[in-house]
Amino acid sequence: MFKKIGPGVLVAAAFVGPGTITVCTLAGVRFGYTLVWAVLLSILATIILQEMAGRIGVISQNGLVDVIKEELKIKWIKNTVIGIVLGAILIGNAAYEAGNIGGATLGLEGLLGETVLSTFFPAIIGFFAFLLLWFSSYKTLEKIFVGLVGIMGVCFVVSAIITKPSLIAIAKGMFVPKLPEGSLLMVIALVGTTVVPYNLFLHASLAKEKWKSKDQLSAVKWDTVISIALGGIVSIAIVITASAAPIQEVGNVMDMAKGLEPLFGKGAIYFMGIGLLAAGITSAITAPLAAAFVASSCFGWDGGMKSKKFKLTWFIVLFLGVFFLSFDIKPIQVIQFAQVANGILLPVMAMLLLWIVNKKSVMGEFKNTLLQNIFGVLIVGFAIFLGAKSILKVIGWF
């Protein structure tokens, strides 16, 4: 089974990062099990989009940007799309990288406490991520991520089981959608942190690294479904754990661990600390990796993951994350630009993905079925809504 696991586990690791953990924690603290259906919906949407991206990667044996460049014939449209992709992924991932490393730092502080070394935690985590990216091949990274996601999953699922949740209440929250007062923004946040544009590029590029034959499409599908479903279980486990935490407000996920400590002892902090550390490290690696794959495709670099330009790109993204966090710099304008760019990119990419995966010239007999297209159109509609909300929020209209 583990030999068949592929890029899906990196995608799951990428979306179950500190941002998702924080949003799931807030959803559980504020609304209990009521919004579990939103997590389930976002996981289903992610599986559908990522399966399309993985299928395109294997059939075309190209990254998503390469296929888009080839298929968009009108020059100004092609250049506009490539510009949005570069802005959203390269600049966006550099801006968000500080949050990924910050999440891992919080986990480390939860395990070791605040010591004289705390100031150097971002640099230590950044250096660890650098070593993994510099010396690891795709196959090695895959094995490391299986281990990290496994650790993360065990920690959060065990934390949820310890709370002795009501299975009936969870089932109602999962299959009976409700929108309590003030929960709409939380639902949008839950979906927005799971359906991540850069994962589409990451998945297509990694799928072509792992699988070279159309006969392996079944493995692509099951890898996507199983890996992302496991990521979804982790997200749901966090909502369940947070629902039981006797706290009113959460600044970060470690507040939840401290809230659980009177009930479950020191074990709560250790489980949450290890889980958050694993989540932060995985996201801190996948964000620079995705940025490097996108830059490589946009500029047509040769040499794959071993290319000097490829390595320089992920190094810059990683360095900026450590730099911003170490000196407590909050590049607000850069982050706002990234949010707007990602708000535009998600619906654009969802539409392009649906268009490409229906082109016989690209996909041949492996183009979408009618059912896949129905789901795809629904997701595109929701992606437009999400993107519009993201942009309106940044400019202060939402």
Side-chain angles (χ1 to χ4, degrees):
M1 185 184 80
F2 286 108
K3 284 183 180 177
K4 291 181 181 178
I5 287 178
V9 77
L10 277 80
V11 172
F15 77 74
V16 186
T20 299
I21 292 170
T22 302
V23 170
C24 288
T25 301
L26 289 169
V29 167
R30 292 177 187 173
F31 302 104
Y33 305 137
T34 315
L35 299 183
V36 174
W37 65 268
V39 181
L40 183 64
L41 177 72
S42 64
I43 292 301
L44 293 173
T46 303
I47 286 172
I48 291 164
L49 287 177
Q50 294 296 158
E51 188 278 331
M52 290 183 199
R55 193 165 13 124
I56 290 169
V58 174
I59 297 297
S60 68
Q61 282 299 297
N62 274 315
L64 213 46
V65 177
D66 296 309
V67 178
I68 290 167
K69 280 162 66 179
E70 201 171 303
E71 294 303 315
L72 287 175
K73 307 298 182 188
I74 302 170
K75 193 172 182 180
W76 72 267
I77 295 178
K78 183 197 298 185
N79 290 341
T80 302
V81 170
I82 297 303
I84 293 168
V85 168
L86 273 172
I89 306 299
L90 277 180
I91 298 172
N93 285 12
Y96 299 143
E97 182 69 352
N100 296 328
I101 295 169
T105 301
L106 272 176
L108 206 53
E109 284 178 357
L111 291 172
L112 304 178
E114 290 200 25
T115 68
V116 288
L117 287 174
S118 295
T119 311
F120 303 102
F121 282 171
I124 291 167
I125 289 160
F127 183 65
F128 181 64
F130 170 83
L131 290 177
L132 287 177
L133 282 165
W134 186 269
F135 291 107
S136 300
S137 63
Y138 165 69
K139 287 183 178 177
T140 310
L141 278 178
E142 200 177 79
K143 288 172 186 171
I144 291 165
F145 271 72
V146 168
L148 286 171
V149 171
I151 291 167
M152 182 168 66
V154 168
C155 286
F156 288 124
V157 170
V158 167
S159 295
I161 292 168
I162 286 172
T163 67
K164 297 180 182 175
S166 163
L167 296 180
I168 294 170
I170 293 169
K172 280 176 71 177
M174 191 176 289
F175 300 113
V176 183
K178 286 182 183 175
L179 267 180
E181 190 178 342
S183 66
L184 179 60
L185 284 178
M186 187 60 71
V187 169
I188 293 169
L190 283 167
V191 179
T193 58
T194 308
V195 186
V196 184
Y198 85 71
N199 275 343
L200 299 172
F201 299 95
L202 185 66
H203 200 177
S205 295
L206 293 177
K208 76 178 179 67
E209 291 274 336
K210 181 166 180 83
W211 294 295
K212 303 295 181 187
S213 166
K214 297 171 183 178
D215 300 333
Q216 295 172 303
L217 281 177
S218 175
V220 179
K221 181 172 77 174
W222 285 111
D223 167 59
T224 305
V225 171
I226 292 167
S227 298
I228 293 172
L230 288 172
I233 289 169
V234 172
S235 296
I236 290 170
I238 295 163
V239 175
I240 292 168
T241 307
S243 301
I247 47 178
Q248 298 304 310
E249 198 52 63
V250 178
N252 60 64
V253 74
M254 289 313 292
D255 288 348
M256 177 168 73
K258 288 166 190 168
L260 291 170
E261 194 177 349
L263 295 174
F264 310 122
K266 281 281 185 185
I269 284 191
Y270 292 129
F271 275 118
M272 295 301 292
I274 293 168
L276 188 57
L277 177 61
I281 289 172
T282 53
S283 293
I285 294 170
T286 51
L289 201 57
F293 274 124
V294 166
S296 182
S297 294
C298 286
F299 298 118
W301 298 335
D302 295 323
M305 290 175 70
K306 299 297 179 187
S307 157
K308 288 180 181 176
K309 291 175 182 175
F310 184 95
K311 288 183 174 183
L312 180 64
T313 305
W314 63 247
F315 173 76
I316 291 169
V317 172
L318 184 60
F319 171 79
L320 287 174
V322 174
F323 179 79
F324 289 148
L325 192 65
S326 297
F327 294 95
D328 199 26
I329 299 168
K330 293 180 175 59
I332 299 299
Q333 290 178 320
V334 177
I335 290 171
Q336 285 182 333
F337 168 81
Q339 286 173 332
V340 170
N342 272 293
I344 297 168
L345 182 63
L346 180 58
V348 167
M349 279 313 304
M351 287 186 280
L352 283 172
L353 205 61
L354 203 56
W355 173 59
I356 290 166
V357 89
N358 277 289
K359 290 204 75 169
K360 200 156 189 179
S361 59
V362 178
M363 303 302 293
E365 64 186 287
F366 301 103
K367 64 190 188 75
N368 263 12
T369 63
L370 176 61
L371 185 62
Q372 285 171 320
N373 280 331
I374 290 168
F375 284 130
V377 168
L378 290 172
I379 293 168
V380 165
F382 196 58
I384 292 169
F385 170 70
L386 271 178
K389 171 258 162 191
S390 175
I391 294 163
L392 292 174
K393 186 179 178 185
V394 170
I395 61 177
W397 291 1
F398 195 93

